[in-house]
Amino acid sequence: MEIIIQSDSQAGDAVAARMIAGLIRRKPDAVLGLATGSTPLGLYRELVRMHREEGLDFSRVTTFNLDEYIGLAPDHPQSYRRFMFENLFNHINSPVERIHIPDGMTDDVPAFCEAYEQAIRDAGGIDLQVLGIGTDGHVGFNEPSSSLASRTRIKTLTRQTLSDNARFFENPDEQPHHVITMGIGTIMESRQVVMLAFGANKAEAVSRTVEGPVCAMMPASVLQFHSKAHLILDDASAAGLAKADYYRWVYANKPDWQRH
Ligand code: PGA
């Protein structure tokens, strides 16, 4: 894993945006895996800025989102479809037919999940997957105890995740307990992973992900087995890392040709 510690989330967003923009410039028909939540908002703002000011072109980019709540209509204020359009797709030139977000209103969840996996394969696989991390270590909505080989499927959220995300729902009765999420096996097949984690509330999950054992109780720790995983942190989320000085030193001494 490459551990990139920046002084604040804005600097981290800029590193992540440069990686994505670099990929799109090298490969205009790149396939991106995208995430929701508070964490990637700054990254999406930076990509929108690059589109407007630097002509970053998404017209041939295909996207697959990680997850969606089951039972929320696509235009529900808390649906991840709505989140993605409001925060990214309405502001860039992504053709709607290249945007894929799990359908939380499907009446056949297993068939939908299989078709989603097939659509990823048909697109040639994901070149770069953006990830956040839950305070309980989840990636996508793969909660602790998820199979490290899992594929796209239904999951039940933990109480911790429900309480972390309750702030988004005015009416607690509207907060779904079930989701569709790409599996950990699906995520691990991405050619490159960029995980963002900012703030002190992520420090424990980050240290267990990077320096703890790989285990299903800390799903993000499986990234230790990914050959191209970049973890972008701020000082606060990196505070629990025993080897933080080493990671900073490695990043500061990267050869120029390896810089993002
Ligand atoms: P957050 O969620 O970005 O809102 O902290 C991260 C996650 O649940 O993966």
Side-chain angles (χ1 to χ4, degrees):
M1 249 190 272
E2 181 184 33
I3 317 298
I4 302 172
I5 305 172
Q6 299 289 295
S7 52
D8 56 31
S9 60
Q10 261 182 316
D13 294 333
V15 174
R18 279 203 300 278
M19 285 183 187
I20 292 171
L23 169 67
I24 295 173
R25 289 189 177 115
R26 279 193 309 280
K27 186 178 178 188
D29 60 348
V31 179
L32 297 180
L34 297 177
T36 51
S38 327
T39 305
L41 283 172
L43 164 63
Y44 295 158
R45 275 195 295 272
E46 179 61 7
L47 290 175
V48 169
R49 189 199 64 75
M50 288 173 149
H51 169 67
R52 287 191 179 144
E53 294 175 14
E54 298 169 15
L56 185 62
D57 181 11
F58 291 84
S59 63
R60 294 172 60 202
V61 171
T62 298
T63 64
F64 287 90
N65 261 80
L66 282 168
D67 44 21
E68 178 60 285
Y69 287 113
I70 289 182
L72 291 194
D75 61 346
H76 187 284
Q78 298 313 327
S79 83
Y80 284 163
R81 169 168 289 272
R82 178 129 167 213
F83 173 101
M84 288 307 301
F85 277 81
E86 284 182 353
N87 291 296
L88 184 64
F89 297 134
N90 287 344
H91 313 289
I92 59 175
N93 62 333
S94 279
V96 72
E97 63 277 11
R98 291 188 179 274
I99 295 170
H100 303 83
I101 300 170
D103 177 5
M105 297 298 281
T106 177
D107 51 16
D108 187 342
V109 172
F112 176 83
C113 293
E114 236 179 273
Y116 203 69
E117 291 273 336
Q118 188 60 46
I120 294 173
R121 280 192 293 275
D122 291 347
I126 292 171
D127 292 303
L128 186 153
Q129 175 69 54
V130 176
L131 291 178
I133 182 171
T135 57
D136 64 0
H138 69 216
V139 285
F141 267 138
N142 294 282
E143 297 285 32
S145 81
S146 287
S147 160
L148 298 182
S150 51
R151 312 301 308 189
T152 303
R153 70 209 184 292
I154 187 171
K155 282 298 289 182
T156 307
L157 300 179
T158 60
R159 287 184 201 281
Q160 187 172 337
T161 300
L162 287 170
S163 109
D164 284 349
N165 290 351
R167 65 188 191 279
F168 296 116
F169 290 86
E170 271 173 32
N171 176 358
D173 293 340
E174 276 195 10
Q175 186 177 11
H177 292 196
H178 290 102
V179 294
I180 292 174
T181 181
M182 271 188 214
I184 296 176
T186 322
I187 292 167
M188 287 295 283
E189 283 172 10
S190 309
R191 294 182 188 94
Q192 203 177 158
V193 171
V194 176
M195 176 183 273
L196 303 170
F198 303 127
N201 65 329
K202 300 292 172 74
E204 191 197 339
V206 164
S207 72
R208 289 179 62 195
T209 293
V210 177
E211 297 178 341
V214 174
C215 68
M217 293 314 287
M218 183 49 52
S221 65
V222 74
L223 294 178
Q224 292 178 30
F225 280 118
H226 198 290
S227 62
K228 244 183 153 186
H230 314 272
L231 182 42
I232 302 180
L233 308 174
D234 62 3
D235 285 336
S237 65
L241 291 169
K243 300 280 185 197
D245 285 349
Y246 172 63
Y247 311 136
R248 285 193 174 92
W249 186 79
V250 169
Y251 191 66
N253 287 286
K254 268 173 98 129
D256 279 345
W257 59 267
Q258 238 191 1
R259 294 199 167 274
H260 308 296

Tab-separated table of all heavy atoms in Angstrom, residues 12-34 43-59 61 88 92 127-130 192 194 230 232 259-260:
chain	number	residue	atom	x	y	z
A	12	GLY	N	-5.140	16.411	0.123
A	12	GLY	CA	-5.390	15.009	-0.243
A	12	GLY	C	-6.298	14.901	-1.457
A	12	GLY	O	-6.049	14.099	-2.370
A	13	ASP	N	-7.347	15.732	-1.495
A	13	ASP	CA	-8.255	15.723	-2.654
A	13	ASP	C	-7.482	16.049	-3.936
A	13	ASP	O	-7.739	15.470	-4.994
A	13	ASP	CB	-9.345	16.790	-2.489
A	13	ASP	CG	-10.275	16.495	-1.325
A	13	ASP	OD1	-10.431	15.310	-0.974
A	13	ASP	OD2	-10.850	17.457	-0.782
A	14	ALA	N	-6.558	16.997	-3.816
A	14	ALA	CA	-5.801	17.414	-5.005
A	14	ALA	C	-4.933	16.261	-5.514
A	14	ALA	O	-4.826	16.051	-6.733
A	14	ALA	CB	-4.937	18.631	-4.669
A	15	VAL	N	-4.339	15.488	-4.601
A	15	VAL	CA	-3.524	14.338	-5.031
A	15	VAL	C	-4.410	13.314	-5.745
A	15	VAL	O	-4.082	12.823	-6.832
A	15	VAL	CB	-2.813	13.671	-3.825
A	15	VAL	CG1	-2.105	12.394	-4.259
A	15	VAL	CG2	-1.832	14.642	-3.163
A	16	ALA	N	-5.558	13.029	-5.146
A	16	ALA	CA	-6.464	12.037	-5.748
A	16	ALA	C	-6.951	12.517	-7.111
A	16	ALA	O	-7.005	11.740	-8.080
A	16	ALA	CB	-7.643	11.777	-4.820
A	17	ALA	N	-7.306	13.796	-7.207
A	17	ALA	CA	-7.806	14.338	-8.481
A	17	ALA	C	-6.719	14.265	-9.550
A	17	ALA	O	-7.005	13.961	-10.716
A	17	ALA	CB	-8.288	15.775	-8.291
A	18	ARG	N	-5.474	14.520	-9.159
A	18	ARG	CA	-4.382	14.424	-10.147
A	18	ARG	C	-4.227	12.991	-10.655
A	18	ARG	O	-3.969	12.757	-11.832
A	18	ARG	CB	-3.062	14.903	-9.532
A	18	ARG	CG	-2.907	16.420	-9.511
A	18	ARG	CD	-1.432	16.837	-9.431
A	18	ARG	NE	-0.759	16.333	-8.253
A	18	ARG	CZ	-0.810	16.904	-7.034
A	18	ARG	NH1	-1.525	17.999	-6.846
A	18	ARG	NH2	-0.144	16.381	-6.022
A	19	MET	N	-4.383	12.016	-9.753
A	19	MET	CA	-4.283	10.608	-10.187
A	19	MET	C	-5.380	10.285	-11.199
A	19	MET	O	-5.141	9.647	-12.222
A	19	MET	CB	-4.458	9.670	-8.983
A	19	MET	CG	-3.276	9.598	-8.065
A	19	MET	SD	-3.684	8.375	-6.784
A	19	MET	CE	-2.289	8.597	-5.716
A	20	ILE	N	-6.602	10.741	-10.905
A	20	ILE	CA	-7.729	10.428	-11.790
A	20	ILE	C	-7.583	11.164	-13.115
A	20	ILE	O	-7.774	10.583	-14.193
A	20	ILE	CB	-9.057	10.767	-11.082
A	20	ILE	CG1	-9.244	9.799	-9.914
A	20	ILE	CG2	-10.236	10.699	-12.050
A	20	ILE	CD1	-10.400	10.139	-8.987
A	21	ALA	N	-7.215	12.432	-13.041
A	21	ALA	CA	-7.053	13.215	-14.279
A	21	ALA	C	-5.927	12.610	-15.134
A	21	ALA	O	-6.057	12.517	-16.358
A	21	ALA	CB	-6.751	14.666	-13.938
A	22	GLY	N	-4.849	12.194	-14.483
A	22	GLY	CA	-3.735	11.576	-15.216
A	22	GLY	C	-4.199	10.323	-15.942
A	22	GLY	O	-3.865	10.098	-17.115
A	23	LEU	N	-4.991	9.514	-15.259
A	23	LEU	CA	-5.517	8.294	-15.882
A	23	LEU	C	-6.385	8.646	-17.092
A	23	LEU	O	-6.240	8.059	-18.167
A	23	LEU	CB	-6.339	7.496	-14.847
A	23	LEU	CG	-7.167	6.348	-15.424
A	23	LEU	CD1	-6.265	5.237	-15.976
A	23	LEU	CD2	-8.119	5.770	-14.370
A	24	ILE	N	-7.301	9.617	-16.920
A	24	ILE	CA	-8.225	9.959	-18.018
A	24	ILE	C	-7.451	10.539	-19.202
A	24	ILE	O	-7.796	10.280	-20.365
A	24	ILE	CB	-9.321	10.933	-17.528
A	24	ILE	CG1	-10.204	10.231	-16.494
A	24	ILE	CG2	-10.161	11.463	-18.684
A	24	ILE	CD1	-11.223	11.138	-15.807
A	25	ARG	N	-6.375	11.278	-18.927
A	25	ARG	CA	-5.607	11.841	-20.051
A	25	ARG	C	-4.835	10.742	-20.779
A	25	ARG	O	-4.707	10.784	-21.999
A	25	ARG	CB	-4.681	12.952	-19.549
A	25	ARG	CG	-5.511	14.182	-19.161
A	25	ARG	CD	-4.694	15.421	-18.853
A	25	ARG	NE	-5.603	16.523	-18.577
A	25	ARG	CZ	-5.726	17.152	-17.407
A	25	ARG	NH1	-4.943	16.830	-16.390
A	25	ARG	NH2	-6.604	18.110	-17.242
A	26	ARG	N	-4.359	9.745	-20.023
A	26	ARG	CA	-3.650	8.617	-20.661
A	26	ARG	C	-4.623	7.689	-21.378
A	26	ARG	O	-4.309	7.087	-22.387
A	26	ARG	CB	-2.924	7.773	-19.591
A	26	ARG	CG	-1.600	8.320	-19.116
A	26	ARG	CD	-0.824	7.276	-18.321
A	26	ARG	NE	-1.556	6.626	-17.254
A	26	ARG	CZ	-1.772	7.148	-16.040
A	26	ARG	NH1	-1.328	8.350	-15.750
A	26	ARG	NH2	-2.448	6.482	-15.109
A	27	LYS	N	-5.805	7.544	-20.766
A	27	LYS	CA	-6.787	6.573	-21.258
A	27	LYS	C	-8.160	7.234	-21.235
A	27	LYS	O	-8.896	7.120	-20.256
A	27	LYS	CB	-6.756	5.330	-20.339
A	27	LYS	CG	-7.612	4.195	-20.817
A	27	LYS	CD	-7.512	2.960	-19.915
A	27	LYS	CE	-8.441	1.882	-20.441
A	27	LYS	NZ	-8.574	0.728	-19.567
A	28	PRO	N	-8.526	7.942	-22.298
A	28	PRO	CA	-9.776	8.723	-22.294
A	28	PRO	C	-11.032	7.881	-22.075
A	28	PRO	O	-12.052	8.405	-21.654
A	28	PRO	CB	-9.797	9.377	-23.682
A	28	PRO	CG	-8.361	9.381	-24.126
A	28	PRO	CD	-7.730	8.153	-23.522
A	29	ASP	N	-10.959	6.567	-22.362
A	29	ASP	CA	-12.139	5.726	-22.119
A	29	ASP	C	-11.981	4.901	-20.843
A	29	ASP	O	-12.477	3.775	-20.741
A	29	ASP	CB	-12.408	4.811	-23.325
A	29	ASP	CG	-11.234	3.882	-23.614
A	29	ASP	OD1	-10.132	4.093	-23.026
A	29	ASP	OD2	-11.407	2.937	-24.410
A	30	ALA	N	-11.321	5.493	-19.848
A	30	ALA	CA	-11.095	4.799	-18.578
A	30	ALA	C	-12.418	4.439	-17.903
A	30	ALA	O	-13.447	5.072	-18.138
A	30	ALA	CB	-10.275	5.697	-17.645
A	31	VAL	N	-12.350	3.410	-17.067
A	31	VAL	CA	-13.504	2.996	-16.272
A	31	VAL	C	-13.200	3.335	-14.811
A	31	VAL	O	-12.222	2.847	-14.244
A	31	VAL	CB	-13.775	1.480	-16.430
A	31	VAL	CG1	-14.975	1.074	-15.575
A	31	VAL	CG2	-14.007	1.136	-17.901
A	32	LEU	N	-14.037	4.194	-14.236
A	32	LEU	CA	-13.829	4.615	-12.848
A	32	LEU	C	-14.855	3.960	-11.935
A	32	LEU	O	-16.037	3.864	-12.286
A	32	LEU	CB	-14.005	6.134	-12.709
A	32	LEU	CG	-13.050	7.046	-13.459
A	32	LEU	CD1	-13.410	8.511	-13.164
A	32	LEU	CD2	-11.602	6.767	-13.040
A	33	GLY	N	-14.416	3.557	-10.756
A	33	GLY	CA	-15.338	3.142	-9.695
A	33	GLY	C	-15.475	4.315	-8.746
A	33	GLY	O	-14.463	4.910	-8.354
A	34	LEU	N	-16.695	4.689	-8.403
A	34	LEU	CA	-16.896	5.898	-7.597
A	34	LEU	C	-17.615	5.596	-6.285
A	34	LEU	O	-18.344	4.606	-6.166
A	34	LEU	CB	-17.687	6.926	-8.409
A	34	LEU	CG	-16.965	7.426	-9.676
A	34	LEU	CD1	-17.863	8.391	-10.450
A	34	LEU	CD2	-15.630	8.083	-9.348
A	43	LEU	N	-12.945	15.848	-3.531
A	43	LEU	CA	-12.375	15.281	-4.766
A	43	LEU	C	-13.290	15.602	-5.947
A	43	LEU	O	-12.817	16.023	-7.018
A	43	LEU	CB	-12.214	13.759	-4.604
A	43	LEU	CG	-11.993	12.964	-5.892
A	43	LEU	CD1	-10.679	13.363	-6.574
A	43	LEU	CD2	-11.990	11.454	-5.594
A	44	TYR	N	-14.599	15.415	-5.773
A	44	TYR	CA	-15.514	15.682	-6.885
A	44	TYR	C	-15.502	17.170	-7.250
A	44	TYR	O	-15.554	17.525	-8.429
A	44	TYR	CB	-16.928	15.176	-6.554
A	44	TYR	CG	-16.984	13.652	-6.410
A	44	TYR	CD1	-17.985	13.022	-5.696
A	44	TYR	CD2	-16.003	12.860	-6.999
A	44	TYR	CE1	-18.022	11.635	-5.568
A	44	TYR	CE2	-16.029	11.469	-6.864
A	44	TYR	CZ	-17.035	10.864	-6.146
A	44	TYR	OH	-17.056	9.504	-6.008
A	45	ARG	N	-15.426	18.035	-6.225
A	45	ARG	CA	-15.342	19.481	-6.531
A	45	ARG	C	-14.101	19.780	-7.366
A	45	ARG	O	-14.133	20.559	-8.304
A	45	ARG	CB	-15.290	20.296	-5.226
A	45	ARG	CG	-16.662	20.599	-4.653
A	45	ARG	CD	-16.590	21.687	-3.591
A	45	ARG	NE	-15.830	21.276	-2.427
A	45	ARG	CZ	-16.341	20.631	-1.378
A	45	ARG	NH1	-17.622	20.344	-1.336
A	45	ARG	NH2	-15.570	20.274	-0.363
A	46	GLU	N	-13.007	19.120	-7.036
A	46	GLU	CA	-11.753	19.356	-7.768
A	46	GLU	C	-11.855	18.806	-9.200
A	46	GLU	O	-11.368	19.433	-10.149
A	46	GLU	CB	-10.582	18.719	-6.993
A	46	GLU	CG	-9.212	18.844	-7.614
A	46	GLU	CD	-8.713	20.284	-7.807
A	46	GLU	OE1	-9.364	21.242	-7.346
A	46	GLU	OE2	-7.656	20.434	-8.458
A	47	LEU	N	-12.509	17.665	-9.380
A	47	LEU	CA	-12.681	17.129	-10.741
A	47	LEU	C	-13.576	18.056	-11.572
A	47	LEU	O	-13.321	18.272	-12.761
A	47	LEU	CB	-13.274	15.715	-10.685
A	47	LEU	CG	-12.342	14.628	-10.151
A	47	LEU	CD1	-13.090	13.293	-10.042
A	47	LEU	CD2	-11.089	14.459	-11.019
A	48	VAL	N	-14.607	18.608	-10.943
A	48	VAL	CA	-15.480	19.559	-11.651
A	48	VAL	C	-14.662	20.789	-12.064
A	48	VAL	O	-14.765	21.272	-13.195
A	48	VAL	CB	-16.684	19.958	-10.758
A	48	VAL	CG1	-17.448	21.129	-11.369
A	48	VAL	CG2	-17.604	18.764	-10.534
A	49	ARG	N	-13.826	21.264	-11.147
A	49	ARG	CA	-12.977	22.420	-11.474
A	49	ARG	C	-12.053	22.082	-12.657
A	49	ARG	O	-11.892	22.868	-13.594
A	49	ARG	CB	-12.145	22.832	-10.250
A	49	ARG	CG	-11.392	24.148	-10.436
A	49	ARG	CD	-10.250	24.318	-9.452
A	49	ARG	NE	-9.186	23.330	-9.604
A	49	ARG	CZ	-8.279	23.318	-10.575
A	49	ARG	NH1	-8.288	24.246	-11.500
A	49	ARG	NH2	-7.357	22.378	-10.642
A	50	MET	N	-11.464	20.885	-12.625
A	50	MET	CA	-10.557	20.502	-13.712
A	50	MET	C	-11.306	20.399	-15.043
A	50	MET	O	-10.777	20.726	-16.096
A	50	MET	CB	-9.891	19.160	-13.398
A	50	MET	CG	-8.846	19.243	-12.305
A	50	MET	SD	-8.272	17.583	-11.872
A	50	MET	CE	-6.591	17.928	-11.385
A	51	HIS	N	-12.559	19.923	-14.970
A	51	HIS	CA	-13.366	19.850	-16.192
A	51	HIS	C	-13.608	21.260	-16.740
A	51	HIS	O	-13.410	21.511	-17.930
A	51	HIS	CB	-14.692	19.150	-15.889
A	51	HIS	CG	-15.684	19.256	-16.986
A	51	HIS	ND1	-15.506	18.642	-18.215
A	51	HIS	CD2	-16.843	19.946	-17.089
A	51	HIS	CE1	-16.518	18.937	-19.003
A	51	HIS	NE2	-17.338	19.724	-18.353
A	52	ARG	N	-13.996	22.177	-15.845
A	52	ARG	CA	-14.353	23.532	-16.295
A	52	ARG	C	-13.145	24.332	-16.733
A	52	ARG	O	-13.172	25.023	-17.742
A	52	ARG	CB	-15.037	24.294	-15.156
A	52	ARG	CG	-16.433	23.788	-14.919
A	52	ARG	CD	-17.203	24.709	-13.976
A	52	ARG	NE	-18.551	24.175	-13.797
A	52	ARG	CZ	-19.227	24.226	-12.661
A	52	ARG	NH1	-18.700	24.811	-11.611
A	52	ARG	NH2	-20.440	23.722	-12.579
A	53	GLU	N	-12.077	24.238	-15.926
A	53	GLU	CA	-10.945	25.154	-16.156
A	53	GLU	C	-9.844	24.534	-16.994
A	53	GLU	O	-9.065	25.239	-17.612
A	53	GLU	CB	-10.365	25.616	-14.810
A	53	GLU	CG	-11.345	26.474	-14.046
A	53	GLU	CD	-10.838	26.853	-12.655
A	53	GLU	OE1	-9.632	26.680	-12.388
A	53	GLU	OE2	-11.671	27.287	-11.846
A	54	GLU	N	-9.749	23.202	-16.983
A	54	GLU	CA	-8.625	22.575	-17.683
A	54	GLU	C	-9.100	21.649	-18.793
A	54	GLU	O	-8.306	20.916	-19.382
A	54	GLU	CB	-7.758	21.806	-16.672
A	54	GLU	CG	-7.154	22.736	-15.614
A	54	GLU	CD	-6.511	21.977	-14.446
A	54	GLU	OE1	-6.276	20.758	-14.565
A	54	GLU	OE2	-6.261	22.621	-13.415
A	55	GLY	N	-10.407	21.598	-19.002
A	55	GLY	CA	-10.942	20.799	-20.107
A	55	GLY	C	-10.863	19.299	-19.879
A	55	GLY	O	-10.862	18.526	-20.849
A	56	LEU	N	-10.802	18.868	-18.604
A	56	LEU	CA	-10.773	17.421	-18.356
A	56	LEU	C	-12.054	16.807	-18.924
A	56	LEU	O	-13.161	17.219	-18.580
A	56	LEU	CB	-10.649	17.145	-16.848
A	56	LEU	CG	-10.483	15.674	-16.464
A	56	LEU	CD1	-9.196	15.087	-17.039
A	56	LEU	CD2	-10.489	15.518	-14.930
A	57	ASP	N	-11.878	15.834	-19.809
A	57	ASP	CA	-12.982	15.358	-20.643
A	57	ASP	C	-13.484	13.994	-20.158
A	57	ASP	O	-12.764	13.002	-20.193
A	57	ASP	CB	-12.467	15.263	-22.093
A	57	ASP	CG	-13.544	14.796	-23.047
A	57	ASP	OD1	-14.732	14.748	-22.657
A	57	ASP	OD2	-13.186	14.464	-24.206
A	58	PHE	N	-14.744	13.952	-19.729
A	58	PHE	CA	-15.334	12.703	-19.236
A	58	PHE	C	-16.230	12.046	-20.290
A	58	PHE	O	-16.953	11.114	-19.980
A	58	PHE	CB	-16.168	12.983	-17.978
A	58	PHE	CG	-15.343	13.375	-16.780
A	58	PHE	CD1	-14.940	14.688	-16.579
A	58	PHE	CD2	-14.951	12.419	-15.844
A	58	PHE	CE1	-14.173	15.051	-15.481
A	58	PHE	CE2	-14.184	12.772	-14.738
A	58	PHE	CZ	-13.795	14.091	-14.557
A	59	SER	N	-16.181	12.529	-21.538
A	59	SER	CA	-17.176	12.078	-22.519
A	59	SER	C	-17.050	10.596	-22.863
A	59	SER	O	-18.004	9.970	-23.285
A	59	SER	CB	-17.092	12.920	-23.793
A	59	SER	OG	-15.825	12.761	-24.401
A	61	VAL	N	-15.529	8.408	-20.544
A	61	VAL	CA	-15.285	7.701	-19.273
A	61	VAL	C	-16.565	6.960	-18.859
A	61	VAL	O	-17.662	7.484	-18.967
A	61	VAL	CB	-14.872	8.717	-18.180
A	61	VAL	CG1	-14.824	8.062	-16.806
A	61	VAL	CG2	-13.529	9.358	-18.537
A	88	LEU	N	-21.504	15.546	-8.813
A	88	LEU	CA	-20.523	15.339	-9.881
A	88	LEU	C	-21.145	15.382	-11.281
A	88	LEU	O	-20.811	16.247	-12.076
A	88	LEU	CB	-19.778	14.000	-9.655
A	88	LEU	CG	-18.664	13.707	-10.657
A	88	LEU	CD1	-17.532	14.732	-10.542
A	88	LEU	CD2	-18.098	12.296	-10.474
A	92	ILE	N	-20.227	17.794	-15.024
A	92	ILE	CA	-19.193	17.359	-15.970
A	92	ILE	C	-19.898	16.801	-17.213
A	92	ILE	O	-21.122	16.750	-17.251
A	92	ILE	CB	-18.229	16.307	-15.346
A	92	ILE	CG1	-18.992	15.066	-14.878
A	92	ILE	CG2	-17.424	16.935	-14.206
A	92	ILE	CD1	-18.101	13.946	-14.357
A	127	ASP	N	-10.665	0.509	-13.937
A	127	ASP	CA	-9.254	0.935	-13.936
A	127	ASP	C	-8.852	1.521	-12.595
A	127	ASP	O	-7.737	1.290	-12.127
A	127	ASP	CB	-9.024	1.988	-15.033
A	127	ASP	CG	-9.155	1.382	-16.412
A	127	ASP	OD1	-8.411	0.417	-16.695
A	127	ASP	OD2	-9.995	1.847	-17.202
A	128	LEU	N	-9.736	2.332	-12.021
A	128	LEU	CA	-9.389	2.998	-10.762
A	128	LEU	C	-10.651	3.107	-9.914
A	128	LEU	O	-11.662	3.648	-10.375
A	128	LEU	CB	-8.810	4.390	-11.047
A	128	LEU	CG	-8.275	5.168	-9.844
A	128	LEU	CD1	-7.180	6.149	-10.270
A	128	LEU	CD2	-9.379	5.938	-9.093
A	129	GLN	N	-10.568	2.567	-8.720
A	129	GLN	CA	-11.709	2.595	-7.807
A	129	GLN	C	-11.447	3.592	-6.686
A	129	GLN	O	-10.440	3.499	-5.980
A	129	GLN	CB	-11.920	1.193	-7.201
A	129	GLN	CG	-13.007	1.116	-6.146
A	129	GLN	CD	-14.405	1.313	-6.722
A	129	GLN	OE1	-14.809	0.624	-7.653
A	129	GLN	NE2	-15.142	2.290	-6.190
A	130	VAL	N	-12.346	4.549	-6.528
A	130	VAL	CA	-12.282	5.482	-5.395
A	130	VAL	C	-13.014	4.849	-4.212
A	130	VAL	O	-14.118	4.334	-4.375
A	130	VAL	CB	-12.970	6.826	-5.750
A	130	VAL	CG1	-12.991	7.756	-4.549
A	130	VAL	CG2	-12.288	7.478	-6.946
A	192	GLN	N	-6.526	-0.378	-9.906
A	192	GLN	CA	-5.912	0.562	-8.989
A	192	GLN	C	-6.991	1.010	-7.997
A	192	GLN	O	-8.147	1.158	-8.395
A	192	GLN	CB	-5.432	1.758	-9.821
A	192	GLN	CG	-4.356	2.545	-9.211
A	192	GLN	CD	-3.870	3.684	-10.117
A	192	GLN	OE1	-3.313	4.604	-9.617
A	192	GLN	NE2	-4.069	3.639	-11.412
A	194	VAL	N	-7.858	3.945	-4.964
A	194	VAL	CA	-7.485	5.169	-4.257
A	194	VAL	C	-8.463	5.327	-3.097
A	194	VAL	O	-9.646	5.621	-3.308
A	194	VAL	CB	-7.550	6.400	-5.187
A	194	VAL	CG1	-7.253	7.676	-4.404
A	194	VAL	CG2	-6.564	6.243	-6.342
A	230	HIS	N	-3.540	3.004	-3.112
A	230	HIS	CA	-3.014	4.252	-2.557
A	230	HIS	C	-3.987	4.698	-1.469
A	230	HIS	O	-5.191	4.775	-1.718
A	230	HIS	CB	-2.941	5.348	-3.621
A	230	HIS	CG	-2.343	4.886	-4.911
A	230	HIS	ND1	-0.993	4.912	-5.169
A	230	HIS	CD2	-2.935	4.360	-6.017
A	230	HIS	CE1	-0.774	4.441	-6.382
A	230	HIS	NE2	-1.934	4.100	-6.912
A	232	ILE	N	-4.904	7.821	0.835
A	232	ILE	CA	-4.629	9.253	0.986
A	232	ILE	C	-5.247	9.736	2.299
A	232	ILE	O	-6.462	9.621	2.500
A	232	ILE	CB	-5.177	10.033	-0.222
A	232	ILE	CG1	-4.535	9.499	-1.511
A	232	ILE	CG2	-4.920	11.529	-0.052
A	232	ILE	CD1	-4.997	10.180	-2.783
A	259	ARG	N	5.917	10.369	-9.407
A	259	ARG	CA	5.033	11.313	-8.710
A	259	ARG	C	3.660	11.394	-9.378
A	259	ARG	O	3.548	11.221	-10.579
A	259	ARG	CB	5.659	12.714	-8.667
A	259	ARG	CG	6.890	12.717	-7.819
A	259	ARG	CD	7.312	14.090	-7.357
A	259	ARG	NE	8.306	13.903	-6.324
A	259	ARG	CZ	8.028	13.712	-5.035
A	259	ARG	NH1	6.786	13.747	-4.626
A	259	ARG	NH2	8.980	13.494	-4.165
A	260	HIS	N	2.665	11.686	-8.537
A	260	HIS	CA	1.295	11.787	-9.080
A	260	HIS	C	1.041	13.215	-9.525
A	260	HIS	O	1.411	14.140	-8.870
A	260	HIS	CB	0.278	11.418	-8.004
A	260	HIS	CG	0.552	10.114	-7.351
A	260	HIS	ND1	0.523	8.927	-8.038
A	260	HIS	CD2	0.915	9.803	-6.096
A	260	HIS	CE1	0.827	7.949	-7.191
A	260	HIS	NE2	1.077	8.439	-6.020
